[in-house]
Amino acid sequence: MAQDAAPPRGAPISDIDPFTPANILDPYPWHQALRETGPMVWLSRYGVFMAPRHAENFAIVADHQTFCSSGGVGYANFFKEKPWRQPSMLLEADQPDHTRRRAIVGRILSAPNLRGLKAGFEVEANALIDKLLDQGEVEAVFEVSRAYVLKVFPDAVGIGASGRDNLMKYGAMVFNAFGPQNDIFHDSARDLGEVSAWIMEQCEHKNLRPGGLGDQVYQAVPSGAITADEALILVRSFLSAGVDTTVHAVGNALWSFATNPAEWAKMKANPGIVRTAFEEVLRYESPFQTFFRTTTRDVEIGGVMIPANEKVMLSVGSANRDPRKFERPDAFDVSRNLQGHVGFGYGIHACIGQMISRLENEVLLTELARRKVDFEVCGEATRTVHNTLRGFSKLPLRFTQN
Ligand code: OVV
């Protein structure tokens, strides 16, 4: 399992395994232990350095030339082993190809270009809220997070209405594949062939609704900015990155507010603060917990020397709870200063879908707050055992209106 990196001389070492089910379910104690161990800690189980503190996480993503993405942003090193799927044209690419493609997709996912989606999201959110108030008690992962995201996001991309559960299965594979090839990954990859084929079919231009976000990618082909082959894989990025992340974010938002009613009271009193409150959800319960970079040269960081061509692990979850950066980091506080949180990453690879993710979450939370809806946990909540994403697989909630 361990990569063939030389053992470090004089570097802080830990035998903590971030990818056991128990550690996945309860990451904050070992995050803290690793932050105390040092700025860069050698994980002996995997043969990689990990950055547990905010400062090094930030420095690494800011230096995309030294810490590149074309070697993959999971544990697998694409320079040494074959990727499990064709690499992403955005996430798993470097300049200048990445920059050229990102300019196209970035414009499509920019706030002005998404403005037209808001009214439709509000209609869906309100129809859902009516139903929730009617039902009272619901399992919110299926009946809120998935129901809402699997409706509004694929509609915006412009894919058909049937088979959307494949998006959840594909997301599970894509994000579990960023971790080691453990049982968690293998379990999620069981229907790989079938699900991948379904996804690739949805990405074809003829299957995308004219005017939708997917079709807009293909509209950049005639100018020569991107090729049709690139367009296909760029649309795949929407379907890879845009569903599971947001589903987890919605669940984490509901849980964070359900368990911190004083913070929800602030939202009901002033729905205008939803925008910053959602950023606090991303800091407090970061859906995208970990990713990796690959070194392009020998580099010194946090007092350790890392040779070229080695993976470096970044912990968004730990960086976002680093007391060196955030006061009382374990408190959910929608009024705090959130500057520098890395829930959407930072630098040239910062989340390109962050505006649509915000739109989806803000619309739902705003409508709940505006309608003075309350929700509380009414049964046992179960977290997802997942190599990369943090969130819930079951979240029983009771919705009431006061
Ligand atoms: C951020 C992210 C996660 C997973 C897949 C992709 C991106 C992609 O571009 O395919």
Side-chain angles (χ1 to χ4, degrees):
M1 174 61 75
Q3 302 210 341
D4 53 358
R9 255 183 249 121
I13 297 179
S14 173
D15 62 5
I16 284 171
D17 181 348
F19 299 102
T20 64
N23 283 340
I24 287 168
L25 292 173
D26 189 21
Y28 301 125
W30 62 263
H31 283 173
Q32 190 189 344
L34 290 179
R35 285 192 302 265
E36 298 304 315
T37 304
M40 294 298 293
V41 181
W42 179 257
L43 296 182
S44 56
R45 173 81 177 74
Y46 294 102
V48 295
F49 275 108
M50 185 246 204
R53 298 180 187 170
H54 184 277
E56 286 72 27
N57 269 273
F58 205 79
I60 290 168
V61 285
D63 185 358
H64 55 267
Q65 263 148 353
T66 305
F67 301 96
C68 80
S69 291
S70 58
V73 303
Y75 177 58
N77 186 339
F78 294 177
F79 301 143
K80 298 179 182 175
E81 54 194 293
K82 191 175 175 305
W84 70 282
R85 63 168 195 166
Q86 181 182 349
S88 165
M89 297 249 172
L90 292 166
L91 178 79
E92 295 154 330
D94 295 326
Q95 293 176 328
D97 283 341
H98 164 266
T99 320
R100 173 177 51 81
R101 298 166 188 148
R102 181 159 175 131
I104 303 294
V105 180
R107 214 172 301 131
I108 294 167
L109 294 176
S110 68
N113 195 52
L114 298 176
R115 212 160 279 151
L117 294 172
K118 190 177 182 195
F121 288 12
E122 284 170 348
V123 170
E124 292 303 331
N126 279 301
L128 178 61
I129 293 168
D130 291 343
K131 204 170 129 213
L132 297 175
L133 290 171
D134 208 40
Q135 280 175 261
E137 289 185 14
V138 302
E139 195 292 285
V141 173
F142 274 87
E143 299 187 55
V144 186
S145 316
R146 288 191 192 200
Y148 176 64
V149 173
L150 282 179
K151 171 71 182 141
V152 299
F153 182 76
D155 276 3
V157 173
I159 70 168
S162 68
R164 289 186 177 183
D165 198 43
N166 285 305
L167 293 165
M168 296 307 304
K169 291 188 184 174
Y170 193 64
M173 284 176 207
V174 167
F175 284 92
N176 276 311
F178 293 144
Q181 296 213 349
N182 52 15
D183 290 347
I184 303 167
F185 167 72
H186 290 300
D187 284 352
S188 69
R190 237 179 275 137
D191 302 328
L192 179 111
E194 204 180 301
V195 174
S196 298
W198 185 88
I199 292 286
M200 293 320 299
E201 196 185 329
Q202 311 309 307
C203 296
E204 288 177 32
H205 197 189
K206 66 175 182 349
N207 295 329
L208 292 162
R209 174 175 57 77
L213 301 175
D215 174 54
Q216 291 179 37
V217 174
Y218 280 95
Q219 285 174 23
V221 173
S223 73
I226 52 171
T227 67
D229 290 347
E230 286 179 317
L232 181 81
I233 303 301
L234 290 170
V235 174
R236 193 193 67 176
S237 281
F238 290 167
L239 303 186
S240 305
V243 181
D244 224 2
T245 45
T246 316
V247 168
H248 280 72
V250 170
N252 290 353
L254 293 173
W255 183 81
S256 299
F257 284 111
T259 52
N260 292 275
E263 299 307 288
W264 184 246
K266 293 182 195 171
M267 305 270 281
K268 286 190 295 177
N270 180 10
I273 63 169
V274 162
R275 175 157 271 258
T276 47
F278 177 59
E279 303 297 311
E280 172 65 350
V281 171
L282 293 178
R283 184 202 67 81
Y284 179 69
E285 286 287 351
S286 308
F288 204 145
Q289 283 276 306
T290 46
F291 55 86
F292 293 74
R293 291 288 189 257
T294 314
T295 53
T296 57
R297 61 178 174 87
D298 297 358
V299 56
E300 190 181 334
I301 181 162
V304 304
M305 271 301 300
I306 307 179
N309 208 9
E310 294 300 333
K311 301 303 296 200
V312 176
M313 179 174 160
L314 297 151
S315 178
V316 171
S318 182
N320 277 338
R321 286 188 180 228
D322 184 354
R324 292 159 193 81
K325 177 71 185 172
F326 299 103
E327 275 172 42
R328 297 186 309 118
D330 296 324
F332 179 66
D333 174 4
V334 299
S335 314
R336 72 164 66 245
N337 177 0
L338 281 152
Q339 211 179 342
H341 89 76
V342 286
F344 280 131
Y346 177 76
I348 68 166
H349 287 280
C351 179
I352 197 168
Q354 58 184 278
M355 297 316 294
I356 194 162
S357 168
R358 286 198 182 100
L359 189 63
E360 289 170 72
N361 276 280
E362 282 169 19
V363 163
L364 181 61
L365 293 172
T366 302
E367 293 309 302
L368 284 166
R370 195 183 56 76
R371 293 175 63 174
K372 310 264 186 263
V373 175
D374 282 308
F375 41 96
E376 59 184 342
V377 180
C378 63
E380 202 189 331
T382 316
R383 287 186 183 276
T384 332
V385 177
H386 196 298
N387 280 337
T388 300
L389 296 176
R390 179 163 176 79
F392 291 89
S393 51
K394 285 225 155 51
L395 182 58
L397 291 180
R398 181 182 303 116
F399 286 83
T400 51
Q401 194 172 32
N402 302 299

